[in-house]
Amino acid sequence: MGEQATTKFPPDVVEEYAGLGIDLPALFSAGDLGERMGVKVTEASAERVVGTMPVEGNTQPYGLLHGGASAVLAETLGSVGAMLHGGPHKIAVGVDLNCTHHRGLRSGLVTGVATPVHRGRSSATYEIVISDEQDRRVCSARLTCMLRPVAPGGQTA
C-alpha cells in the first residue's frame, strides 16, 4: 500500500491515531479492490476526502467509464470520511449508496471529493462529486454509513 503514503491527513487525525500503532495510510486507503482499479486517496479528513481513479482499465464493453467503477470510488471516499468521523473506536459500515451518472468518459483521470451531509453518533452521510479533468461533473453520489463500536480485538460489536 505504498501508493497511499502520499495521503494528506490533518495534524489532529495523526495525533489521535499516533499511540494506537495504526498505519493511517493503509487503514484509510482504497483497499484491495480500489488498488486494482487504481484508486488513490490523496487527502483525508472527516470534513473532506479526495481521491482519483483512472478511466482506463475501468470501462464497460462500450469503452465508457463503468458506473460500478464510479460507485467504488464514491464508496471508498465516503467510507474513509465516515471512518475518520467515527474515530479509532468505531468502524463505518456502508448501508446505502446512490449514484447518478451524468456524463460518459473514455479516457483520463476522474477526481472524487466527499463532503459530509450528516455526521452523527451512529451514522454518517457523505456526498461525493466525481469530476473529469475539465472539472465537469461525471457522477453525483451519496453514501450513508452506520458507525459501529469496535470491540476489543478489533471486531465490530
Side-chain angles (χ1 to χ4, degrees):
M1 295 203 193
E3 296 175 358
Q4 298 301 327
T6 59
T7 305
K8 295 178 191 165
F9 294 97
D12 60 319
V13 170
V14 173
E15 184 178 325
E16 183 177 21
Y17 286 83
L20 302 176
I22 295 173
D23 179 357
L24 279 179
L27 180 62
F28 299 112
S29 72
D32 291 340
L33 176 61
E35 280 189 22
R36 279 195 301 275
M37 297 177 68
V39 172
K40 293 183 181 171
V41 178
T42 58
E43 177 185 331
S45 72
E47 292 77 32
R48 176 181 156 97
V49 182
V50 180
T52 61
M53 180 181 69
V55 173
E56 290 85 354
N58 294 311
T59 57
Q60 37 91 319
Y62 299 119
L64 296 173
L65 177 63
H66 196 293
S70 294
V72 168
L73 178 60
E75 186 155 358
T76 298
L77 301 179
S79 293
V80 168
M83 286 284 291
L84 285 165
H85 165 64
H89 303 293
K90 292 193 178 178
I91 188 166
V93 180
V95 295
D96 182 64
L97 176 64
N98 167 319
C99 297
T100 301
H101 308 287
H102 305 292
R103 149 185 326 274
L105 291 177
R106 293 185 181 278
S107 63
L109 189 73
V110 291
T111 300
V113 178
T115 53
V117 173
H118 166 76
R119 291 187 297 166
R121 286 181 301 200
S122 61
S123 69
T125 300
Y126 281 76
E127 175 186 37
I128 304 94
V129 174
I130 300 173
S131 303
D132 66 11
E133 292 171 300
Q134 287 73 47
D135 206 29
R136 298 176 297 188
R137 190 177 291 223
V138 173
C139 176
S140 299
R142 188 186 66 244
L143 174 71
T144 298
C145 291
M146 198 168 62
L147 300 174
R148 303 284 312 263
V150 176
Q155 300 297 318
T156 59

